[in-house]
Amino acid sequence: MAVVEAKDVWKIFEPGHVEAVRGATFNIAPGEIVAIMGPSGSGKTTLLMMLGAMLSPTRGEIRIASQSLGDLQEAGRVALRRRRIGFVFQSFNLFPSLTALENVAVPLRLLGARDHRRRAAEELERVGLAGRLDFLPAKLSGGQQQRVAIARALAHGPAVILADEPTGALDSTNGLAVIRLLSERASEKGAAVIVVTHDERLSAVAHRVLRLEDGCIAAL
Amino acid sequence: MWTIGIRNLLHDKVRLSVTLFGITFAVVLIFVQVGMYLGFMRASSAVIDRGAADIWIVSKNSANFDWSQPFPERYVHIVRSTPGVQRAETLLFAWAFARLPRGGTEQVEIIGYHPSAGKGWGQPWGLVEGEARSVLGGDHVIVDKSSYRRLGELRVGDRLEIMGRSVRIAGLTEGIRPLTTAPYVFASYETAHRIASYVGRENTVFILVQAAPGHDVGEVAARLARKLPHVDVMTAAQCSRRTRWYWTVSTGMGFGFLLTILLGFFVGVTVVGQTIYADAIEHLREYATLKAIGGGTRELLIILWSQAGVAAIVGYAAGTGGAFGIGGLFNRLGLSVVFPPALLVMVAGVTVLMCLGASLLSIRKVLRVDPATVFKA
C-alpha cells in the first residue's frame, strides 16, 4: 500500500500559463527513500509544495496516507501536515530562540503530547545529540543543526518526510552523514522519504530517483 | 507555543525596552491624567459630597458650587415648613480677598457654617488642630494646610486680614483642596457674613435640606421647587453632578484631559504596534516554518498574544509604579491626584486592549504568511 500517491498531477501558474509540473504520476511505499532530481526550474520544489499540502494541483490527485489532498480545506491540510508529514529544510529552519530539545518538541506539542520533552530527548539521543539538548541552534554546527531538524521531522512519527535540499548548506562530509542518518532513522520508523536534491551522491542512498525535466518525470 | 513568543520578545533587548517604554509611558500618562481629573472633580464637589444634606437649594441657574449667588435667607423658613423636610440649614459661600502678612493679596473662598449644626452641614473635615466649634466666639477661621503656599505657613493663633477684617486662625485641616486656586477659609456663619458683607445680612447662598425618614428625596425636592420658583432645588447627587459637569464640559477641562488620555493611548498603540510588527517581520520565516510543520491560527495567535500579554503586564506594572510615584509627588505639591481601585482595573483593561490592538497588524501579517516560503533557501 503506497503512502504517497500522485496521479496525473499538473501545476499551471497563471498568468503566463507556466506549466511547472506536467502529469506527474508515481507511488511511494512506506520506508522507501525517493530522490527527486533535476535542473533548476524543472518543477522539483513545486512538486514538493504540492506533496506538502501547501499548494494545490491544477489537475490530478495527490493522496498522503490514503487522504486525498483535494478533499481537504485549509484546516484539514494544516492537520495533515501536523500529523502525517515531517519536513527537513535546506536552511534547517530551527527556531533560534528555542533549545535543541524545545525545537524537537514543537511538533509533539502541536499534537498535544504530554510527554513531549521525553520523546524529544529520545529522538535527539538517536541522532547523536544527547549532550546538546539545551543548546540553542546558534551554538550548534551546521551538521548538528540539520540533525536537530531531522529529529524534529521524525519526532511525531509521520508517514512521510519531505526534505528540501537537506545537504545544500553542508559540506560533503556532513552532507553525506546527514543523509545517511535521515535514511536510517526513516527506515527504522517506516516513514517514506522524498528528498529534493541536486546532490548526485544521494542517488546511491535512495531506493529510487525521479528525474524531472520541464515539469515532466523523465525517468524513474 | 507561548515559549516561542516570549523568547522572541526577550531576545532583542533594545526592542523590548522600546516596547516597555511605550507601554509604561502610556500607562503613566493615562493614570496621571485620569487621576488628576478625578482629583479635580472630587475637589470641585467635596463640600456637597461630604455633606449630610439630601437636597441643596442654590441660586437660579448657578453653574457650580463655587459660582453660587446669594438669595433671600428667609426661604429657609419656607423650606422648614414644607412637608417631608426634617431639617434645613443655611450655608454661606463668598469670594473674598486676604491681605497676606508678608504683603500681597490672595483670593479666598469663605464658607460660613453653623458650628452647632454638627458634621455634614458645611463644617470642615480633616481637622488636625482645633475643632469645628473653634470658630465660635469671635472672628475665628479654619484654613487648610494646602493653603500654605498661597497664604503662608499659618499656625493656630496667627492673624490674617480678610476683606479688611482681622481674623485669627483657630484650627487647621489637611486634605481640603478646592478646585480653584483660592483656598477655602471656614468661618462661623455670622463671621462669614461680617467678612463678606457684600452678600447682605438678609441673604444666604445655600440651603441644605435633610428629608424626613420615609419621604422620597426626589419628591421632597420637587415639592420645594414648586414652592421656591426663584431658586434651583436639587438632590445632593444632582448638585454634585452639575458642578462636575460644569468643570468637565463648560470649561473644556474634560476635553483637555480626554485628549491627553487618547494621546497616551495612541502613543502606546503606535510604539508597541511598531515594535511588535518589526519583531513579526524579523521572525516571519519562523512563523512560516511553524505553519509548514502544522501550526495553525491558534498557535500563531498564542505566540503573538503571549508577546502582547507579557508586554502589557510588565508595562502596566512599571507604569502603575511610576504613576503612583508621580501621583504622590503631585499630592505633596498640592495637586489632588486620585487612583481609586476601579481606575487600576480600568487602566489594566486599557493596557491589554492597547497591546492587543497593537498586535493586530502583526497578526494579519503572520496569518497571511505562506508556509511554502520555507522552501526558498
mmCIF file of all heavy atoms in Angstrom, chain A residues 45 48-49 54 78 81-82 87 89-91 93 95-99 102 106 109-110 152 164, chain B residues 1-4 7-8 285-286 289-296 299 371-372 374-377:
data_model
loop_
_atom_site.group_PDB
_atom_site.id
_atom_site.type_symbol
_atom_site.label_atom_id
_atom_site.label_comp_id
_atom_site.label_asym_id
_atom_site.label_seq_id
_atom_site.Cartn_x
_atom_site.Cartn_y
_atom_site.Cartn_z
ATOM 1 N N THR A 45 10.637 21.785 -6.650
ATOM 2 C CA THR A 45 10.099 22.424 -5.438
ATOM 3 C C THR A 45 8.582 22.551 -5.512
ATOM 4 O O THR A 45 7.879 22.362 -4.501
ATOM 5 C CB THR A 45 10.763 23.802 -5.233
ATOM 6 O OG1 THR A 45 12.176 23.613 -5.154
ATOM 7 C CG2 THR A 45 10.286 24.469 -3.958
ATOM 8 N N LEU A 48 7.210 19.338 -4.545
ATOM 9 C CA LEU A 48 7.351 19.152 -3.097
ATOM 10 C C LEU A 48 6.286 19.948 -2.321
ATOM 11 O O LEU A 48 5.710 19.454 -1.347
ATOM 12 C CB LEU A 48 8.753 19.593 -2.657
ATOM 13 C CG LEU A 48 9.239 19.061 -1.311
ATOM 14 C CD1 LEU A 48 9.403 17.553 -1.362
ATOM 15 C CD2 LEU A 48 10.553 19.705 -0.911
ATOM 16 N N MET A 49 6.034 21.191 -2.777
ATOM 17 C CA MET A 49 4.999 22.016 -2.123
ATOM 18 C C MET A 49 3.630 21.351 -2.221
ATOM 19 O O MET A 49 2.838 21.389 -1.273
ATOM 20 C CB MET A 49 4.922 23.400 -2.780
ATOM 21 C CG MET A 49 6.075 24.323 -2.475
ATOM 22 S SD MET A 49 5.828 25.865 -3.366
ATOM 23 C CE MET A 49 7.363 26.705 -3.038
ATOM 24 N N MET A 54 0.818 22.367 0.608
ATOM 25 C CA MET A 54 0.949 23.823 0.692
ATOM 26 C C MET A 54 0.533 24.491 -0.607
ATOM 27 O O MET A 54 0.447 25.715 -0.683
ATOM 28 C CB MET A 54 2.400 24.211 0.992
ATOM 29 C CG MET A 54 2.873 23.757 2.341
ATOM 30 S SD MET A 54 4.587 24.146 2.536
ATOM 31 C CE MET A 54 4.993 23.108 3.906
ATOM 32 N N VAL A 78 -3.603 21.724 7.280
ATOM 33 C CA VAL A 78 -2.733 22.009 8.439
ATOM 34 C C VAL A 78 -2.654 20.761 9.325
ATOM 35 O O VAL A 78 -1.574 20.357 9.755
ATOM 36 C CB VAL A 78 -3.263 23.225 9.235
ATOM 37 C CG1 VAL A 78 -2.518 23.380 10.566
ATOM 38 C CG2 VAL A 78 -3.134 24.509 8.419
ATOM 39 N N ARG A 81 -0.488 18.054 7.739
ATOM 40 C CA ARG A 81 0.950 18.339 7.882
ATOM 41 C C ARG A 81 1.402 18.054 9.311
ATOM 42 O O ARG A 81 2.487 17.528 9.551
ATOM 43 C CB ARG A 81 1.236 19.813 7.536
ATOM 44 C CG ARG A 81 1.123 20.146 6.066
ATOM 45 C CD ARG A 81 1.884 21.415 5.720
ATOM 46 N NE ARG A 81 1.359 22.584 6.361
ATOM 47 C CZ ARG A 81 0.416 23.367 5.854
ATOM 48 N NH1 ARG A 81 -0.116 23.077 4.672
ATOM 49 N NH2 ARG A 81 0.005 24.434 6.504
ATOM 50 N N ARG A 82 0.553 18.413 10.248
ATOM 51 C CA ARG A 82 0.882 18.252 11.662
ATOM 52 C C ARG A 82 1.054 16.774 12.029
ATOM 53 O O ARG A 82 1.953 16.411 12.788
ATOM 54 C CB ARG A 82 -0.242 18.878 12.497
ATOM 55 C CG ARG A 82 -0.015 18.883 13.950
ATOM 56 C CD ARG A 82 -1.184 19.490 14.679
ATOM 57 N NE ARG A 82 -1.365 20.912 14.370
ATOM 58 C CZ ARG A 82 -2.158 21.725 15.055
ATOM 59 N NH1 ARG A 82 -2.838 21.265 16.068
ATOM 60 N NH2 ARG A 82 -2.285 22.984 14.730
ATOM 61 N N PHE A 87 9.125 17.672 7.974
ATOM 62 C CA PHE A 87 9.860 18.490 6.998
ATOM 63 C C PHE A 87 11.315 18.666 7.420
ATOM 64 O O PHE A 87 11.609 18.894 8.593
ATOM 65 C CB PHE A 87 9.226 19.884 6.886
ATOM 66 C CG PHE A 87 7.869 19.882 6.217
ATOM 67 C CD1 PHE A 87 6.708 19.778 6.972
ATOM 68 C CD2 PHE A 87 7.765 20.006 4.838
ATOM 69 C CE1 PHE A 87 5.467 19.787 6.367
ATOM 70 C CE2 PHE A 87 6.515 20.013 4.223
ATOM 71 C CZ PHE A 87 5.364 19.902 4.989
ATOM 72 N N PHE A 89 14.460 21.116 5.994
ATOM 73 C CA PHE A 89 14.708 22.220 5.070
ATOM 74 C C PHE A 89 16.198 22.427 4.838
ATOM 75 O O PHE A 89 17.036 22.087 5.676
ATOM 76 C CB PHE A 89 14.104 23.521 5.619
ATOM 77 C CG PHE A 89 12.652 23.387 5.989
ATOM 78 C CD1 PHE A 89 12.260 23.296 7.323
ATOM 79 C CD2 PHE A 89 11.673 23.339 5.006
ATOM 80 C CE1 PHE A 89 10.919 23.166 7.665
ATOM 81 C CE2 PHE A 89 10.323 23.214 5.344
ATOM 82 C CZ PHE A 89 9.956 23.122 6.676
ATOM 83 N N GLN A 90 16.485 23.053 3.706
ATOM 84 C CA GLN A 90 17.887 23.322 3.363
ATOM 85 C C GLN A 90 18.571 24.192 4.430
ATOM 86 O O GLN A 90 19.698 23.939 4.812
ATOM 87 C CB GLN A 90 17.940 24.035 2.001
ATOM 88 C CG GLN A 90 19.372 24.328 1.549
ATOM 89 C CD GLN A 90 19.409 24.975 0.174
ATOM 90 O OE1 GLN A 90 18.395 25.084 -0.499
ATOM 91 N NE2 GLN A 90 20.589 25.399 -0.246
ATOM 92 N N SER A 91 17.828 25.243 4.905
ATOM 93 C CA SER A 91 18.436 26.158 5.893
ATOM 94 C C SER A 91 18.060 25.770 7.318
ATOM 95 O O SER A 91 18.065 26.614 8.212
ATOM 96 C CB SER A 91 17.971 27.587 5.611
ATOM 97 O OG SER A 91 18.229 27.922 4.268
ATOM 98 N N ASN A 93 15.897 25.795 9.334
ATOM 99 C CA ASN A 93 14.668 26.437 9.844
ATOM 100 C C ASN A 93 14.324 26.051 11.271
ATOM 101 O O ASN A 93 13.168 25.780 11.596
ATOM 102 C CB ASN A 93 13.482 26.131 8.921
ATOM 103 C CG ASN A 93 13.564 26.888 7.616
ATOM 104 O OD1 ASN A 93 14.648 26.996 7.050
ATOM 105 N ND2 ASN A 93 12.461 27.402 7.142
ATOM 106 N N PHE A 95 13.942 27.051 15.276
ATOM 107 C CA PHE A 95 13.542 28.276 15.975
ATOM 108 C C PHE A 95 14.748 28.736 16.809
ATOM 109 O O PHE A 95 15.142 28.037 17.749
ATOM 110 C CB PHE A 95 12.326 28.013 16.864
ATOM 111 C CG PHE A 95 11.125 27.562 16.079
ATOM 112 C CD1 PHE A 95 10.720 26.234 16.087
ATOM 113 C CD2 PHE A 95 10.409 28.458 15.291
ATOM 114 C CE1 PHE A 95 9.628 25.805 15.347
ATOM 115 C CE2 PHE A 95 9.310 28.040 14.542
ATOM 116 C CZ PHE A 95 8.926 26.713 14.561
ATOM 117 N N PRO A 96 15.324 29.876 16.441
ATOM 118 C CA PRO A 96 16.589 30.271 17.072
ATOM 119 C C PRO A 96 16.507 30.537 18.567
ATOM 120 O O PRO A 96 17.515 30.426 19.262
ATOM 121 C CB PRO A 96 16.988 31.540 16.315
ATOM 122 C CG PRO A 96 15.767 32.012 15.631
ATOM 123 C CD PRO A 96 14.885 30.836 15.425
ATOM 124 N N SER A 97 15.321 30.885 19.058
ATOM 125 C CA SER A 97 15.225 31.203 20.486
ATOM 126 C C SER A 97 14.924 29.964 21.333
ATOM 127 O O SER A 97 14.883 30.046 22.554
ATOM 128 C CB SER A 97 14.142 32.258 20.712
ATOM 129 O OG SER A 97 12.891 31.780 20.239
ATOM 130 N N LEU A 98 14.703 28.825 20.677
ATOM 131 C CA LEU A 98 14.425 27.586 21.420
ATOM 132 C C LEU A 98 15.651 26.680 21.421
ATOM 133 O O LEU A 98 16.416 26.666 20.453
ATOM 134 C CB LEU A 98 13.251 26.833 20.791
ATOM 135 C CG LEU A 98 11.904 27.556 20.698
ATOM 136 C CD1 LEU A 98 10.826 26.609 20.179
ATOM 137 C CD2 LEU A 98 11.492 28.120 22.041
ATOM 138 N N THR A 99 15.808 25.901 22.478
ATOM 139 C CA THR A 99 16.918 24.952 22.550
ATOM 140 C C THR A 99 16.645 23.792 21.576
ATOM 141 O O THR A 99 15.536 23.671 21.040
ATOM 142 C CB THR A 99 17.052 24.370 23.967
ATOM 143 O OG1 THR A 99 15.859 23.627 24.252
ATOM 144 C CG2 THR A 99 17.241 25.464 25.008
ATOM 145 N N GLU A 102 13.718 21.843 22.777
ATOM 146 C CA GLU A 102 12.445 22.546 22.567
ATOM 147 C C GLU A 102 12.061 22.557 21.090
ATOM 148 O O GLU A 102 10.875 22.470 20.749
ATOM 149 C CB GLU A 102 12.538 23.978 23.112
ATOM 150 C CG GLU A 102 12.583 24.031 24.632
ATOM 151 C CD GLU A 102 13.034 25.369 25.179
ATOM 152 O OE1 GLU A 102 13.673 26.147 24.423
ATOM 153 O OE2 GLU A 102 12.785 25.646 26.358
ATOM 154 N N VAL A 106 8.493 20.843 19.390
ATOM 155 C CA VAL A 106 7.422 21.670 18.804
ATOM 156 C C VAL A 106 6.340 20.831 18.116
ATOM 157 O O VAL A 106 5.151 20.977 18.435
ATOM 158 C CB VAL A 106 7.990 22.744 17.853
ATOM 159 C CG1 VAL A 106 6.875 23.393 17.027
ATOM 160 C CG2 VAL A 106 8.721 23.813 18.649
ATOM 161 N N ARG A 109 4.286 19.079 20.655
ATOM 162 C CA ARG A 109 3.387 19.989 21.388
ATOM 163 C C ARG A 109 2.201 20.378 20.522
ATOM 164 O O ARG A 109 1.097 20.573 21.032
ATOM 165 C CB ARG A 109 4.157 21.226 21.841
ATOM 166 C CG ARG A 109 5.181 20.885 22.903
ATOM 167 C CD ARG A 109 5.974 22.079 23.323
ATOM 168 N NE ARG A 109 5.175 22.974 24.146
ATOM 169 C CZ ARG A 109 5.672 23.992 24.816
ATOM 170 N NH1 ARG A 109 6.970 24.250 24.755
ATOM 171 N NH2 ARG A 109 4.901 24.769 25.539
ATOM 172 N N LEU A 110 2.440 20.503 19.219
ATOM 173 C CA LEU A 110 1.321 20.810 18.315
ATOM 174 C C LEU A 110 0.279 19.704 18.350
ATOM 175 O O LEU A 110 -0.915 19.945 18.166
ATOM 176 C CB LEU A 110 1.819 21.008 16.886
ATOM 177 C CG LEU A 110 2.600 22.299 16.599
ATOM 178 C CD1 LEU A 110 3.168 22.276 15.185
ATOM 179 C CD2 LEU A 110 1.718 23.517 16.779
ATOM 180 N N ARG A 152 13.440 16.617 14.647
ATOM 181 C CA ARG A 152 12.146 17.317 14.703
ATOM 182 C C ARG A 152 11.164 16.731 13.676
ATOM 183 O O ARG A 152 9.974 16.569 13.953
ATOM 184 C CB ARG A 152 12.346 18.816 14.433
ATOM 185 C CG ARG A 152 11.056 19.625 14.516
ATOM 186 C CD ARG A 152 11.285 21.115 14.348
ATOM 187 N NE ARG A 152 11.672 21.456 12.983
ATOM 188 C CZ ARG A 152 11.955 22.681 12.565
ATOM 189 N NH1 ARG A 152 11.938 23.690 13.441
ATOM 190 N NH2 ARG A 152 12.303 22.924 11.316
ATOM 191 N N ASP A 164 13.887 19.165 1.614
ATOM 192 C CA ASP A 164 14.234 20.071 0.525
ATOM 193 C C ASP A 164 15.721 20.400 0.602
ATOM 194 O O ASP A 164 16.150 21.130 1.496
ATOM 195 C CB ASP A 164 13.403 21.346 0.651
ATOM 196 C CG ASP A 164 13.713 22.348 -0.443
ATOM 197 O OD1 ASP A 164 13.973 21.933 -1.582
ATOM 198 O OD2 ASP A 164 13.699 23.561 -0.150
ATOM 199 N N MET B 1 3.596 26.911 22.891
ATOM 200 C CA MET B 1 3.860 27.876 21.826
ATOM 201 C C MET B 1 4.247 29.248 22.364
ATOM 202 O O MET B 1 4.980 29.991 21.753
ATOM 203 C CB MET B 1 2.608 28.049 20.942
ATOM 204 C CG MET B 1 2.337 26.873 20.039
ATOM 205 S SD MET B 1 3.737 26.414 19.003
ATOM 206 C CE MET B 1 4.237 24.905 19.757
ATOM 207 N N TRP B 2 3.672 29.547 23.554
ATOM 208 C CA TRP B 2 3.965 30.873 24.105
ATOM 209 C C TRP B 2 5.448 31.046 24.399
ATOM 210 O O TRP B 2 5.951 32.166 24.438
ATOM 211 C CB TRP B 2 3.108 31.145 25.337
ATOM 212 C CG TRP B 2 3.248 30.118 26.433
ATOM 213 C CD1 TRP B 2 2.504 29.003 26.599
ATOM 214 C CD2 TRP B 2 4.214 30.108 27.476
ATOM 215 N NE1 TRP B 2 2.935 28.294 27.686
ATOM 216 C CE2 TRP B 2 3.984 28.950 28.250
ATOM 217 C CE3 TRP B 2 5.253 30.977 27.850
ATOM 218 C CZ2 TRP B 2 4.759 28.635 29.355
ATOM 219 C CZ3 TRP B 2 6.020 30.654 28.952
ATOM 220 C CH2 TRP B 2 5.769 29.494 29.696
ATOM 221 N N THR B 3 6.162 29.900 24.576
ATOM 222 C CA THR B 3 7.603 29.977 24.829
ATOM 223 C C THR B 3 8.295 30.686 23.670
ATOM 224 O O THR B 3 9.185 31.522 23.885
ATOM 225 C CB THR B 3 8.197 28.558 24.970
ATOM 226 O OG1 THR B 3 7.286 27.760 25.689
ATOM 227 C CG2 THR B 3 9.543 28.587 25.634
ATOM 228 N N ILE B 4 7.872 30.338 22.443
ATOM 229 C CA ILE B 4 8.493 30.968 21.272
ATOM 230 C C ILE B 4 8.247 32.471 21.305
ATOM 231 O O ILE B 4 9.164 33.269 21.107
ATOM 232 C CB ILE B 4 7.917 30.370 19.964
ATOM 233 C CG1 ILE B 4 8.229 28.874 19.881
ATOM 234 C CG2 ILE B 4 8.473 31.104 18.739
ATOM 235 C CD1 ILE B 4 7.623 28.180 18.665
ATOM 236 N N ARG B 7 10.286 34.057 24.245
ATOM 237 C CA ARG B 7 11.730 34.034 23.961
ATOM 238 C C ARG B 7 12.072 35.058 22.873
ATOM 239 O O ARG B 7 13.079 35.756 22.965
ATOM 240 C CB ARG B 7 12.145 32.648 23.499
ATOM 241 C CG ARG B 7 12.022 31.584 24.557
ATOM 242 C CD ARG B 7 13.329 31.436 25.348
ATOM 243 N NE ARG B 7 13.176 30.424 26.361
ATOM 244 C CZ ARG B 7 13.325 29.110 26.136
ATOM 245 N NH1 ARG B 7 13.643 28.690 24.925
ATOM 246 N NH2 ARG B 7 13.185 28.259 27.108
ATOM 247 N N ASN B 8 11.233 35.131 21.844
ATOM 248 C CA ASN B 8 11.487 36.110 20.789
ATOM 249 C C ASN B 8 11.415 37.536 21.332
ATOM 250 O O ASN B 8 12.201 38.398 20.963
ATOM 251 C CB ASN B 8 10.477 35.955 19.641
ATOM 252 C CG ASN B 8 10.803 34.765 18.759
ATOM 253 O OD1 ASN B 8 11.870 34.161 18.884
ATOM 254 N ND2 ASN B 8 9.887 34.408 17.875
ATOM 255 N N ARG B 285 10.006 34.071 8.893
ATOM 256 C CA ARG B 285 10.408 32.748 8.426
ATOM 257 C C ARG B 285 10.083 31.675 9.477
ATOM 258 O O ARG B 285 9.716 30.554 9.131
ATOM 259 C CB ARG B 285 11.904 32.756 8.086
ATOM 260 C CG ARG B 285 12.335 31.558 7.263
ATOM 261 C CD ARG B 285 13.739 31.729 6.739
ATOM 262 N NE ARG B 285 14.164 30.528 6.043
ATOM 263 C CZ ARG B 285 13.817 30.205 4.810
ATOM 264 N NH1 ARG B 285 13.045 31.004 4.121
ATOM 265 N NH2 ARG B 285 14.254 29.092 4.254
ATOM 266 N N GLU B 286 10.228 32.063 10.733
ATOM 267 C CA GLU B 286 9.887 31.110 11.801
ATOM 268 C C GLU B 286 8.390 30.822 11.810
ATOM 269 O O GLU B 286 7.968 29.681 12.031
ATOM 270 C CB GLU B 286 10.286 31.674 13.166
ATOM 271 C CG GLU B 286 11.788 31.710 13.369
ATOM 272 C CD GLU B 286 12.160 32.483 14.608
ATOM 273 O OE1 GLU B 286 11.553 32.250 15.658
ATOM 274 O OE2 GLU B 286 13.064 33.347 14.512
ATOM 275 N N THR B 289 7.696 28.534 9.023
ATOM 276 C CA THR B 289 8.123 27.174 9.395
ATOM 277 C C THR B 289 7.085 26.512 10.289
ATOM 278 O O THR B 289 6.710 25.351 10.086
ATOM 279 C CB THR B 289 9.486 27.217 10.133
ATOM 280 O OG1 THR B 289 10.438 27.856 9.286
ATOM 281 C CG2 THR B 289 9.965 25.831 10.494
ATOM 282 N N LEU B 290 6.611 27.298 11.259
ATOM 283 C CA LEU B 290 5.605 26.753 12.177
ATOM 284 C C LEU B 290 4.345 26.345 11.410
ATOM 285 O O LEU B 290 3.759 25.287 11.677
ATOM 286 C CB LEU B 290 5.266 27.787 13.249
ATOM 287 C CG LEU B 290 4.364 27.295 14.392
ATOM 288 C CD1 LEU B 290 5.051 26.175 15.172
ATOM 289 C CD2 LEU B 290 3.988 28.412 15.322
ATOM 290 N N LYS B 291 3.951 27.192 10.458
ATOM 291 C CA LYS B 291 2.770 26.842 9.660
ATOM 292 C C LYS B 291 3.049 25.595 8.814
ATOM 293 O O LYS B 291 2.184 24.728 8.666
ATOM 294 C CB LYS B 291 2.384 28.016 8.738
ATOM 295 C CG LYS B 291 1.710 29.151 9.478
ATOM 296 C CD LYS B 291 1.344 30.291 8.566
ATOM 297 C CE LYS B 291 -0.048 30.157 8.011
ATOM 298 N NZ LYS B 291 -0.512 31.406 7.363
ATOM 299 N N ALA B 292 4.254 25.511 8.265
ATOM 300 C CA ALA B 292 4.601 24.364 7.424
ATOM 301 C C ALA B 292 4.539 23.061 8.208
ATOM 302 O O ALA B 292 4.052 22.047 7.706
ATOM 303 C CB ALA B 292 5.994 24.558 6.838
ATOM 304 N N ILE B 293 5.009 23.090 9.454
ATOM 305 C CA ILE B 293 5.052 21.829 10.214
ATOM 306 C C ILE B 293 3.741 21.557 10.951
ATOM 307 O O ILE B 293 3.654 20.644 11.765
ATOM 308 C CB ILE B 293 6.252 21.758 11.183
ATOM 309 C CG1 ILE B 293 6.125 22.790 12.296
ATOM 310 C CG2 ILE B 293 7.567 21.914 10.435
ATOM 311 C CD1 ILE B 293 7.236 22.685 13.347
ATOM 312 N N GLY B 294 2.725 22.396 10.681
ATOM 313 C CA GLY B 294 1.403 22.075 11.209
ATOM 314 C C GLY B 294 0.851 23.038 12.240
ATOM 315 O O GLY B 294 -0.152 22.739 12.875
ATOM 316 N N GLY B 295 1.511 24.166 12.398
ATOM 317 C CA GLY B 295 0.978 25.182 13.308
ATOM 318 C C GLY B 295 -0.204 25.884 12.663
ATOM 319 O O GLY B 295 -0.122 26.284 11.506
ATOM 320 N N GLY B 296 -1.282 26.021 13.387
ATOM 321 C CA GLY B 296 -2.473 26.677 12.838
ATOM 322 C C GLY B 296 -2.627 28.083 13.385
ATOM 323 O O GLY B 296 -1.751 28.606 14.082
ATOM 324 N N GLU B 299 -2.125 28.498 17.220
ATOM 325 C CA GLU B 299 -0.740 28.538 17.715
ATOM 326 C C GLU B 299 -0.087 29.890 17.415
ATOM 327 O O GLU B 299 0.637 30.438 18.245
ATOM 328 C CB GLU B 299 0.085 27.413 17.081
ATOM 329 C CG GLU B 299 -0.211 26.033 17.639
ATOM 330 C CD GLU B 299 -1.507 25.437 17.122
ATOM 331 O OE1 GLU B 299 -1.951 25.845 16.020
ATOM 332 O OE2 GLU B 299 -2.091 24.577 17.811
ATOM 333 N N PRO B 371 3.228 29.297 4.047
ATOM 334 C CA PRO B 371 4.184 28.305 4.577
ATOM 335 C C PRO B 371 5.151 27.806 3.515
ATOM 336 O O PRO B 371 6.250 27.350 3.832
ATOM 337 C CB PRO B 371 3.290 27.183 5.094
ATOM 338 C CG PRO B 371 1.979 27.359 4.410
ATOM 339 C CD PRO B 371 1.837 28.825 4.160
ATOM 340 N N ALA B 372 4.745 27.917 2.253
ATOM 341 C CA ALA B 372 5.613 27.425 1.174
ATOM 342 C C ALA B 372 6.897 28.242 1.053
ATOM 343 O O ALA B 372 7.857 27.789 0.423
ATOM 344 C CB ALA B 372 4.849 27.451 -0.149
ATOM 345 N N VAL B 374 9.058 28.565 3.102
ATOM 346 C CA VAL B 374 10.158 27.863 3.772
ATOM 347 C C VAL B 374 11.013 27.082 2.776
ATOM 348 O O VAL B 374 12.143 26.703 3.088
ATOM 349 C CB VAL B 374 9.644 26.881 4.849
ATOM 350 C CG1 VAL B 374 9.046 27.622 6.009
ATOM 351 C CG2 VAL B 374 8.660 25.893 4.262
ATOM 352 N N PHE B 375 10.475 26.837 1.598
ATOM 353 C CA PHE B 375 11.252 26.089 0.602
ATOM 354 C C PHE B 375 12.182 26.979 -0.200
ATOM 355 O O PHE B 375 12.890 26.524 -1.062
ATOM 356 C CB PHE B 375 10.308 25.341 -0.341
ATOM 357 C CG PHE B 375 9.620 24.188 0.332
ATOM 358 C CD1 PHE B 375 8.253 24.148 0.443
ATOM 359 C CD2 PHE B 375 10.361 23.148 0.863
ATOM 360 C CE1 PHE B 375 7.624 23.090 1.070
ATOM 361 C CE2 PHE B 375 9.734 22.087 1.499
ATOM 362 C CZ PHE B 375 8.362 22.053 1.606
ATOM 363 N N LYS B 376 12.143 28.287 0.109
ATOM 364 C CA LYS B 376 13.077 29.198 -0.569
ATOM 365 C C LYS B 376 14.232 29.448 0.375
ATOM 366 O O LYS B 376 14.056 30.101 1.409
ATOM 367 C CB LYS B 376 12.374 30.498 -0.939
ATOM 368 C CG LYS B 376 11.343 30.258 -2.045
ATOM 369 C CD LYS B 376 10.255 31.296 -2.039
ATOM 370 C CE LYS B 376 9.117 30.846 -2.947
ATOM 371 N NZ LYS B 376 7.840 31.487 -2.622
ATOM 372 N N ALA B 377 15.382 28.933 0.040
ATOM 373 C CA ALA B 377 16.536 28.993 0.934
ATOM 374 C C ALA B 377 17.009 30.439 1.100
ATOM 375 O O ALA B 377 16.886 31.223 0.211
ATOM 376 C CB ALA B 377 17.658 28.155 0.387
#
